[in-house]
Amino acid sequence: MRPRILVINPNSNESVTDGLRRSLASYRDVADIDCCTLSDGPFGIESDDDVAVAAGLVIDRVASANDYDACVIACYSDPGLAECRARFDKPVFGMQQSALGAAAAQGRFGVLALSDESIARHLVYIDRLGLGDRLAGELPLDISVDQSANDPATLDRIITVGRRLADEFGAEVLVLGCAGMAAHKKPAAAALRVLVIEPVEAAVEAALAAII
């Protein structure tokens, strides 16, 4: 039977989920991947309070995902990841942890974050994962989750900030720090000429490696 993976968008912005469906379409040949939106979640997960709300919703959704072989949490803060792994036997993957592991294996990495508040949260997590020595830098785009998915100016912002991370900070790999940026991976990589990692793709790759 084909493996089944549930990709959970913990925010209530359906446009972010639609972008994930498009970016993950290339995996249809090897797995059934369903993307869902948690309609009770914050419209954008941008604060510690948003992360706390999302974590509980993610745990509830994973608990009911009986028809799936693995779950992916499509929020860069990985809300509920540790709790899900402690409670359930089903493999659960967080997009930040998956992306940073993949990036660190390729070289010194830079992260494009939504905001300074996001960066503060991410740096704690990076240290917890033991990857601080591989971090070249993390810079904010100063945009919202909704803008990351829907504002046409976001790509230009990614390219400008990504170029700074590569040229000034020495980043050899760039990580897009929000699920809403998924559609920008290919054009950003073409413009910047460095490896760009889209974290939900990285989490799906990790899930497939675990269940196939």
Side-chain angles (χ1 to χ4, degrees):
M1 294 179 62
R2 284 164 58 86
R4 299 194 70 202
I5 298 173
L6 178 64
V7 176
I8 303 167
N9 171 20
N11 72 47
S12 56
N13 190 334
E14 183 65 29
S15 65
V16 172
T17 312
D18 285 340
L20 293 174
R21 291 187 183 103
R22 292 191 294 272
S23 69
L24 296 172
S26 60
Y27 292 93
R28 289 175 183 162
D29 291 340
V30 295
D32 294 328
I33 298 177
D34 295 328
C35 300
C36 72
T37 306
L38 299 189
S39 58
D40 292 335
F43 189 66
I45 299 171
E46 299 170 1
S47 69
D48 291 344
D49 288 343
D50 292 336
V51 174
V53 170
L57 297 173
V58 167
I59 293 166
D60 289 344
R61 186 63 186 91
V62 173
S64 66
N66 299 320
D67 295 334
Y68 294 91
D69 300 299
C71 293
V72 165
I73 302 170
C75 169
Y76 197 73
S77 293
D78 289 351
L81 176 61
E83 296 89 341
C84 286
R85 287 179 170 173
R87 294 188 189 191
F88 309 120
D89 293 331
K90 185 189 307 296
V92 181
F93 298 87
M95 61 182 271
Q96 182 175 185
Q97 185 179 66
S98 301
L100 295 182
Q106 297 294 326
R108 286 175 56 77
F109 62 87
V111 181
L112 297 109
L114 292 177
S115 65
D116 286 323
E117 184 175 2
S118 300
I119 291 174
R121 190 165 53 246
H122 299 165
L123 292 179
V124 173
Y125 196 32
I126 289 169
D127 284 342
R128 191 184 310 155
L129 294 173
L131 298 174
D133 63 335
R134 303 294 282 169
L135 176 66
E138 181 163 357
L139 294 175
L141 299 178
D142 295 319
I143 59 174
S144 67
V145 172
D146 188 57
Q147 285 175 302
S148 74
N150 296 308
D151 188 342
T154 294
L155 177 59
D156 287 341
R157 187 70 181 143
I158 289 172
I159 292 169
T160 298
V161 177
R163 188 164 287 124
R164 276 196 66 201
L165 284 167
D167 294 347
E168 298 178 26
F169 292 76
E172 300 166 289
V173 187
L174 297 176
V175 177
L176 302 178
C178 177
M181 300 181 201
H184 301 302
K185 174 192 171 180
K186 290 182 179 179
L192 292 165
R193 298 176 182 264
V194 297
L195 177 63
V196 175
I197 291 181
E198 197 289 295
V200 179
E201 288 185 10
V204 167
E205 292 280 359
L208 287 170
I211 64 179
I212 291 181

